[in-house]
Amino acid sequence: MFSQCTDPSTLEGLNWFACYLTTGKHVLFYQSFLVVLTLLAVTAPIALGVGFLGAIAARSKIAPLRWFGTLYTSMVRGVPDIVFFLFVPLALDQGFETIRHKILCPDWSDPIRQGNDFLVCAEAKLPLGSAPQTVHEIYGFLLAVLAFAIVFGAFSANVISGAMRAVPRAQLETAESYGMTPRQSFWRILVPQMWIYALPGLSNLWMILIKSTPLLFLLGVEDIVYWARELGAAKTSHFTYPHPDWRLWYFLALLVFYLSFTKLSEIVLARITARLSKGQATMAGEQQRKAA
Amino acid sequence: MSCLQTISDYALRSIGQGPRLLPKTDITLCEQVTLIGSGMLWNIYFGVLALALGFGFATLLAVMKNASSPWLRKPADWFIFIFRGSPLFIQFFLAYELFVQLPKAGIDIFGITLETGNLTRAWAGALIVLFFNTSAYTAEIFYGALRSVPKGDIEAADAYGLIGWLRFKRITWPTMLRLAWPAYTNEAIFLFHATAIVFFSGFPAWQQKGDALYYASYFAEKTFNPFVPYPIVAGYFVLLILIVILLFGAVNKRLNRHLPQEKRQKLRFRPQIIR
């Protein structure tokens, strides 16, 4: 990057660090922070949407839908989330490939599972064997997003269905007495009021979501943990920038990143809570009214 | 090979008893259930010990955080902030790299040699991380409960002449526990969940002695079929969590036994404190 970096062996002290921290691999490391932020930005709204649907399903009048919703919202209680992170991408990948195999290669007669092998025809592979590396990476990232959306959808469905139950019954009875249909009272009374009850839970979920992003590493995505291990490992004198094992310092940097990120989120979420409490029939809203 | 034979071979494989090699070809359902169940021993070991050790330390931290002196309050604040604000996954990695850097021979402090060799092994190193982590989360719960101990209880204790340590032991602490118990149950559940990531986060599974999820992912890799081993792990964990809820429910009942029926707190699941 800098002109003096052309011959690293002559560098010393601060100059060495300036050059070391701007190598191509370090730029990839900095970009991987963007991968984490992208994952958060993409997953959070999807998980919220999935959670909303799950909560509606859990209070549906149709029994099978209700059973499904209840099962979905309660599955995260008993089973560690990491099991889902390992299971969902693999299962989805095989599911997609099986469907494509059925459609694209109808005259393939061998079974897909042969002993310990999972065989689909070459055209059904996802992504195709001939696809460039970036397509593979994007596909892996998408599978990770889906896994996160399913797990965090279940968490948020849990929070949202709790919030829907917390809206005072009297509010809905008033809506009914005004002649609103169930659909109208749901969209006009229940949904606008439930957010303040959902917010503490959703804030927590946001924190949990931030703190589970390192699990991307387990899904094979080249995230910050991957690069911290890669760059921190001891480099012998064959490398341009030899150094001993520095993984401790790289992980310390990640720790600081996460601590500041969660702290920042905490401050922002506290502000949103204060803003949303305005005019609500809750204790916080009442306090604000009295103070004003 | 019959299933009973498999069980007697592999039931204790996770702690080093039994055949050295794991099954590689023609993996049966019985082998999967046995080995994954064997791995659960580690999850139980980590969970139970970290909870037991963390309970005492968390009480201490909560009292420190509640103290008026900044010399006591600030360290507790920072400890809780660091362990609650960062991912457990990163804490594992960081701790492992730290333990690797320690001198192999041990550290001399005032003539006593501290063993460091075992710290890079999961059984000691990961246990320490889990212990600190659960202490921080539990301390925050206990602190919240400590703040909501009814003023009247303390005043009544004062009126009876109970002060200092005696008041804490007889009045404040039992009430704090009672108030904190539902949230603490959740913490226990998620601590057991957290034990599943130990062998995926830096700490190597020495001689393939790993926990339930380690064996499950081994089988998923070997058979290329995730639909068998992962549901088995899930089943084991649901069973474990049911036992945890049963035990903690019994304690909750005992803590609330002096209260009238309608004032007793029910245990309710809230996913508030996952890492």
Side-chain angles (χ1 to χ4, degrees):
Chain A
M1 191 170 262
F2 303 116
S3 56
Q4 73 265 29
C5 295
T6 38
D7 189 8
S9 52
T10 60
L11 295 169
E12 265 180 61
L14 272 182
N15 269 334
W16 189 89
F17 268 103
C19 291
Y20 172 69
L21 290 176
T22 49
T23 54
K25 287 212 163 170
H26 272 86
V27 173
L28 285 175
F29 175 51
Y30 305 139
Q31 280 170 358
S32 66
F33 282 89
L34 286 182
V35 171
V36 171
L37 296 179
T38 316
L39 177 92
L40 283 171
V42 173
T43 312
I46 297 179
L48 199 61
V50 172
F52 192 71
L53 292 179
I56 293 178
R59 49 183 285 141
S60 158
K61 287 201 176 64
I62 309 157
L65 197 61
R66 190 171 62 238
W67 294 332
F68 172 76
T70 318
L71 183 76
Y72 177 58
T73 52
S74 52
M75 76 176 191
V76 285
R77 295 182 195 197
V79 184
D81 48 356
I82 185 181
V83 174
F84 291 105
F85 287 129
L86 292 180
F87 171 74
V88 170
L90 205 54
L92 281 179
D93 187 40
Q94 293 193 352
F96 291 152
E97 288 194 343
T98 311
I99 294 168
R100 280 169 62 92
H101 178 83
K102 289 261 156 65
I103 296 169
L104 294 172
C105 316
D107 23 271
W108 193 279
S109 57
D110 296 332
I112 293 178
R113 286 199 189 283
Q114 297 177 7
N116 288 346
D117 277 325
F118 180 85
L119 288 174
V120 290
C121 60
E123 297 90 70
K125 282 254 186 294
L126 248 185
L128 290 172
S130 58
Q133 181 62 25
T134 41
V135 175
H136 282 268
E137 277 172 18
I138 290 171
Y139 180 68
F141 183 76
L142 283 181
L143 282 182
V145 167
L146 276 175
F148 271 81
I150 288 174
V151 172
F152 280 89
F155 282 134
S156 62
N158 217 327
V159 170
I160 290 174
S161 69
M164 283 179 177
R165 268 182 272 122
V167 173
R169 184 82 198 101
Q171 296 276 347
L172 296 176
E173 278 165 7
T174 312
E176 274 165 32
S177 72
Y178 270 92
M180 285 192 187
T181 61
R183 178 182 290 265
Q184 278 175 332
S185 67
F186 177 77
W187 285 108
R188 295 189 192 170
I189 308 294
L190 187 71
V191 172
Q193 286 197 52
M194 73 175 196
W195 295 111
I196 187 62
Y197 299 100
L199 198 64
L202 291 181
S203 314
N204 260 316
L205 274 186
W206 172 251
M207 301 295 209
I208 297 165
L209 182 62
I210 294 176
K211 285 188 267 172
S212 54
T213 47
L215 296 178
L216 269 181
F217 168 69
L218 293 182
L219 307 181
V221 176
E222 293 188 359
D223 75 329
I224 47 182
V225 178
Y226 170 86
W227 283 112
R229 280 165 62 107
E230 195 80 348
L231 294 169
K235 301 279 186 297
T236 55
S237 51
H238 293 294
F239 288 85
T240 341
Y241 294 95
H243 61 76
D245 191 347
W246 278 354
R247 276 179 293 187
L248 184 61
W249 306 112
Y250 278 90
F251 279 114
L252 213 54
L254 294 193
L255 189 82
V256 171
F257 165 71
Y258 276 109
L259 284 178
S260 26
F261 199 8
T262 44
K263 191 78 200 167
L264 188 75
S265 303
E266 212 174 270
I267 295 168
V268 172
L269 287 168
R271 289 214 180 144
I272 296 178
T273 311
R275 178 80 192 75
L276 276 186
S277 299
K278 218 172 180 176
Q280 291 283 349
T282 58
M283 221 142 82
E286 185 66 12
Q287 269 171 6
Q288 280 185 357
R289 191 181 64 81
K290 280 194 180 135
Chain B
M1 200 160 68
S2 75
C3 191
L4 277 177
Q5 180 64 37
T6 307
I7 293 177
S8 76
D9 275 355
Y10 285 114
L12 295 176
R13 174 63 180 78
S14 64
I15 51 174
Q17 311 281 320
R20 204 168 61 81
L21 292 175
L22 297 183
K24 282 220 175 73
T25 48
D26 301 323
I27 291 166
T28 60
L29 184 66
C30 180
E31 282 170 334
Q32 301 204 17
V33 172
T34 311
L35 255 177
I36 293 173
S38 158
M40 281 306 282
L41 291 176
W42 278 111
N43 297 94
I44 295 170
Y45 162 83
F46 283 127
V48 169
L49 273 184
L51 266 185
L53 296 172
F55 182 79
F57 190 39
T59 311
L60 183 73
L61 278 173
V63 172
M64 277 169 71
K65 194 177 154 107
N66 199 30
S68 49
S69 154
W71 293 103
L72 287 173
R73 201 178 63 236
K74 285 289 164 198
D77 270 348
W78 275 97
F79 184 89
I80 293 173
F81 169 65
I82 288 174
F83 279 96
R84 287 185 80 231
S86 65
L88 179 62
F89 203 59
I90 301 287
Q91 290 165 21
F92 274 130
F93 271 118
L94 194 64
Y96 181 71
E97 301 303 339
L98 184 73
F99 293 150
V100 168
Q101 311 257 323
L102 293 177
K104 286 259 167 9
I107 304 169
D108 269 319
I109 299 175
F110 305 122
I112 306 160
T113 313
L114 286 179
E115 274 291 331
T116 53
N118 283 323
L119 286 178
T120 53
R121 300 274 181 76
W123 71 264
L127 182 62
I128 289 178
V129 178
L130 281 170
F131 159 55
F132 282 160
N133 190 279
T134 190
S135 297
Y137 278 87
T138 310
E140 186 68 25
I141 295 170
F142 283 179
Y143 169 73
L146 212 53
R147 303 286 286 180
S148 39
V149 170
K151 205 170 74 176
D153 288 18
I154 307 290
E155 281 168 358
D158 282 341
Y160 274 96
L162 286 174
I163 44 159
W165 169 242
L166 209 58
R167 187 179 75 183
F168 180 78
K169 195 178 77 178
R170 294 212 185 142
I171 309 293
T172 321
W173 191 65
T175 311
M176 175 198 90
L177 269 191
R178 179 172 62 80
L179 294 175
W181 205 258
Y184 185 52
T185 308
N186 266 320
E187 164 59 20
I189 292 173
F190 287 112
L191 177 70
F192 276 104
H193 285 184
T195 58
I197 72 171
V198 167
F199 290 103
F200 291 87
S201 57
F203 288 97
W206 193 57
Q207 291 180 346
Q208 293 186 312
K209 291 187 256 180
D211 77 328
L213 195 59
Y214 172 82
Y215 288 122
S217 77
Y218 169 85
F219 285 128
E221 217 168 83
K222 280 278 175 288
T223 61
F224 221 76
N225 183 358
F227 296 96
V228 177
Y230 289 127
I232 294 175
V233 186
Y236 274 121
F237 264 101
V238 168
L239 216 63
L240 178 66
I241 297 311
L242 282 180
I243 295 170
V244 170
I245 291 177
L246 220 64
L247 290 177
F248 275 71
V251 175
N252 188 49
K253 220 170 162 183
R254 192 177 153 74
L255 286 172
N256 280 292
R257 71 191 185 284
H258 60 290
L259 290 177
Q261 202 76 44
E262 69 271 17
K263 272 195 165 177
R264 295 186 184 177
Q265 288 194 8
K266 289 253 167 59
L267 287 186
R268 272 184 61 205
F269 168 84
R270 290 198 186 83
Q272 286 185 344
I273 39 173
I274 327 161
R275 295 124 179 106

